[in-house]
Amino acid sequence: MPTRPRVRHAVIAALLGAALVGCTPPATVGQARSAGATTSSETSPSEPTTTPKPYLTTTPTLEVTGEAVKPGTKLKFGEQAIIPFYSHYAKGVIGLTVTVESVKAPDADIEGLPLKDEDKAKLRGKNFFFVREKLTNVDGSNMAEVYAPILTAKTKSGGWPGSLLGAGNADVTGCEGESFAPKDFSTKGAVFESCRLHFGVASDPITSLAYTTQPYESADSRAVTWRNK
């Protein structure tokens, strides 16, 4: 059986109560975040000792060209979208595939979350929704250390599932690991898999996920959206 991807999730207990019954949509985050490390190699004294990061403080303009899907594209869970993307090092395109798994939240996993007892109680009997992302380096651009996209999730009722955001770490069985791509995510065909934790009730599962980062937008007609059918 293949090892499931691991992802870290930050937690703010104060958000938990509202999130159980629905919350505001998540703010869009940048594609490249600092992973607190640089890539180095053996060089001569006259050469730089670190790989340049032209987009460390500057956001490049991304355009929909070539294989990239157009704004407003609709796909099914499990289908790949080619999207413009960038890291601190380069811009290029990646293939993004998303799926959702719903599981009953185990008491042992709830107990292990860094939350207050009253907040843990609100999670008991609920479901975990695992949003799994598979990123494929399509063109060989240096996408080392990119941050896995935060997608806008909506449920069957049209609301938003709960999520754990803020400061701290939360791992649950089946959805654990890192949200930053490894340093070797820089060659054509390289794959990075991540998982993001949401929660809610089994009768109101996540039915759509939208990518809204530029060159796409939050409007349904300008986003790239995956649906369960």
Side-chain angles (χ1 to χ4, degrees):
M1 180 179 295
T3 302
R4 285 179 169 171
R6 298 176 58 83
V7 67
R8 300 287 178 190
H9 304 280
V11 180
I12 288 182
L15 296 180
L16 186 60
L20 285 170
V21 295
C23 59
T24 56
T28 300
V29 298
Q31 296 172 313
R33 290 189 179 183
S34 174
T38 57
T39 303
S40 61
S41 59
E42 292 185 4
T43 61
S44 66
S46 61
E47 294 177 332
T49 57
T50 58
T51 303
K53 295 183 177 182
Y55 305 127
L56 179 62
T57 58
T58 301
T59 301
T61 299
L62 301 179
E63 299 178 347
V64 178
T65 59
E67 299 178 88
V69 296
K70 296 180 180 179
T73 295
K74 305 291 190 297
L75 306 100
K76 294 179 181 179
F77 288 164
E79 292 184 333
Q80 185 188 75
I82 305 298
I83 60 174
F85 213 70
Y86 76 95
S87 69
H88 290 152
Y89 306 98
K91 61 180 180 178
V93 291
I94 65 165
L96 179 60
T97 306
V98 299
T99 57
V100 178
E101 180 183 359
S102 176
V103 300
K104 179 116 180 251
D107 287 346
D109 281 336
I110 294 172
E111 191 59 34
L113 294 173
L115 301 171
K116 296 179 180 179
D117 288 342
E118 57 264 34
D119 293 324
K120 293 178 182 178
K122 294 174 184 176
L123 276 178
R124 300 191 190 282
K126 301 297 190 297
N127 268 41
F128 286 151
F129 303 133
F130 300 157
V131 174
R132 303 191 187 281
E133 301 178 23
K134 178 181 177 181
L135 282 69
T136 301
N137 190 320
V138 173
D139 61 358
S141 299
N142 187 353
M143 294 291 163
E145 301 167 341
V146 292
Y147 188 74
I150 294 180
L151 306 174
T152 300
K154 286 191 177 181
T155 64
K156 182 179 179 180
S157 67
W160 293 278
S163 59
L164 304 176
L165 302 171
N169 292 323
D171 284 347
V172 297
T173 303
C175 198
E176 309 161 322
E178 295 296 334
S179 53
F180 289 100
K183 291 183 178 180
D184 62 1
F185 190 55
S186 57
T187 58
K188 186 175 181 178
V191 172
F192 163 55
E193 295 183 323
S194 185
C195 176
R196 200 173 303 281
L197 177 67
H198 296 272
F199 53 87
V201 293
S203 60
D204 193 25
I206 293 174
T207 56
S208 73
L209 296 160
Y211 181 80
T212 61
T213 302
Q214 67 104 354
Y216 308 100
E217 300 172 20
S218 59
D220 190 57
S221 62
R222 300 289 298 174
V224 178
T225 306
W226 289 263
R227 302 184 188 279
N228 64 338
K229 59 181 179 179

